[in-house]
Amino acid sequence: MTHRDRKAVDFKTLRQQAEQIITSRDPVAVDTDEQDLVRLIYELEVYQVELTLQNEELRHAAKDLEAARNEYFDLYDTAPVGFVTVDRNGLIQRYNLAAAQMLDAGENSLVGRMFSSRIFRSHQVAYFSYLRDIAGPNTAAPCELQLVRPDGTRVEIRLQAVSKRNPADGFTHWRMALVDITDHKRYERELEHRATQLARLTSELTLAEQRERRRLAQLLHDDLQQLLAGSRIHLEILAEEGNLDKK
């Protein structure tokens, strides 16, 4: 029976079960003078059985809790999103496998190290500003940063974090979700580059069309002038020949 299916057993129910176990035993004849002692022994036996039942319930609850914890850690470690817990001093407390791959942790543990040390220098101001914004009551949209691996390669991420606090100590830590957007950003840059190329080609095509139109217009203009000049000369020649014929 799982923890979800089993109803919580309260102390009253446990005592009833213990009394049923005790009363189901064969009764023992005793004198009247011994009734108080028997009653005390009875109470002790009931209490002992009750403790046994409680321990059994606790063992079942512990097993269910352990199973739930293992399931949580499996999901935590195998999630495609990187998860990192950072304390109030900026030190890494916990991270999952996806975060380790983004940070290229390898065999070295990142626990106790500054998370900001893995953020590209020019993006650190944005990182600290984002943490300051979400440390208060306000919420903030995710921010985009670049992580720097030990070999110098960069990983572009989208960072979403929440601040955690408790009534006694106030703010305690940040829980961060890291999404690798390196490929997405590369596609964006490629699209921007192609859009720039397309705009440049379109501009060049427009200029070429304009130049061709001007060239055609000039050719038509020059050809028309030549045609008109030739026609005029031809008419003049015909007119002179007509005058000669009349003489």
Side-chain angles (χ1 to χ4, degrees):
M1 184 181 297
T2 63
H3 180 65
R4 294 179 179 176
D5 298 332
R6 189 175 60 253
K7 295 183 179 179
V9 180
D10 56 18
F11 291 110
K12 182 178 179 180
T13 303
L14 288 175
R15 183 169 181 83
Q16 290 175 352
Q17 293 177 359
E19 289 179 346
Q20 289 175 1
I21 293 173
I22 297 298
T23 55
S24 64
R25 299 175 181 175
D26 294 333
V28 179
V30 295
D31 297 334
T32 306
D33 295 340
E34 298 178 351
Q35 287 183 355
D36 292 339
L37 180 59
V38 171
R39 182 62 183 174
L40 178 60
I41 295 174
Y42 172 80
E43 289 292 336
L44 289 175
E45 290 180 341
V46 170
Y47 182 67
Q48 183 179 7
V49 174
E50 186 177 352
L51 288 178
T52 302
L53 295 175
Q54 289 181 15
N55 289 333
E56 187 66 24
E57 284 294 319
L58 289 175
R59 281 195 296 269
H60 285 300
K63 289 181 180 179
D64 292 340
L65 182 61
E66 181 69 16
R69 189 183 72 88
N70 292 336
E71 182 179 1
Y72 164 76
F73 279 115
D74 288 341
L75 293 174
Y76 179 83
D77 281 334
T78 59
V81 176
F83 293 115
V84 180
T85 301
V86 177
D87 66 13
R88 63 197 309 164
N89 297 318
L91 302 178
I92 298 175
Q93 292 181 321
R94 182 185 300 170
Y95 58 95
N96 67 345
L97 295 178
Q101 292 175 355
M102 293 181 197
L103 298 169
D104 195 19
E107 298 296 329
N108 300 320
S109 175
L110 296 176
V111 174
R113 298 188 181 184
M114 293 291 295
F115 180 75
S116 59
S117 65
R118 290 299 182 93
I119 296 178
F120 188 58
R121 181 172 299 178
S122 63
H123 290 201
Q124 289 186 1
V125 173
Y127 166 71
F128 288 118
S129 297
Y130 176 71
L131 293 188
R132 184 178 61 252
D133 291 341
I134 65 172
N138 299 327
T139 58
C143 65
E144 295 182 356
L145 304 170
Q146 287 186 0
L147 300 177
V148 181
R149 290 173 169 171
D151 61 359
T153 58
R154 301 181 192 177
V155 179
E156 298 186 73
I157 64 167
R158 179 176 292 110
L159 173 66
Q160 176 75 66
V162 293
S163 59
K164 294 297 180 179
R165 52 184 69 238
N166 58 46
D169 302 328
F171 174 78
T172 57
H173 60 273
W174 289 281
R175 289 181 182 172
M176 303 179 181
L178 316 178
V179 179
D180 189 341
I181 58 173
T182 304
D183 292 338
H184 176 72
K185 284 296 183 180
R186 183 171 63 251
Y187 296 149
E188 280 188 353
R189 287 190 290 268
E190 289 179 358
L191 288 176
E192 290 177 358
H193 178 66
R194 292 180 181 179
T196 301
Q197 286 183 324
L198 181 60
R200 179 175 57 81
L201 291 175
T202 301
S203 177
E204 291 178 356
L205 179 61
T206 301
L207 292 175
E209 289 178 350
Q210 292 176 352
R211 288 194 297 267
E212 185 64 17
R213 288 175 182 175
R214 286 195 296 268
R215 188 183 69 82
L216 291 175
Q218 186 66 34
L219 287 175
L220 290 175
H221 181 266
D222 293 343
D223 290 345
L224 182 60
Q225 285 185 336
Q226 293 177 1
L227 179 62
L228 291 175
S231 299
R232 181 177 178 182
I233 294 172
H234 186 66
L235 290 173
E236 290 177 352
I237 294 173
L238 291 176
E240 290 180 356
E241 290 179 350
N243 292 331
L244 292 174
D245 293 338
K246 291 179 180 180
K247 292 179 179 180

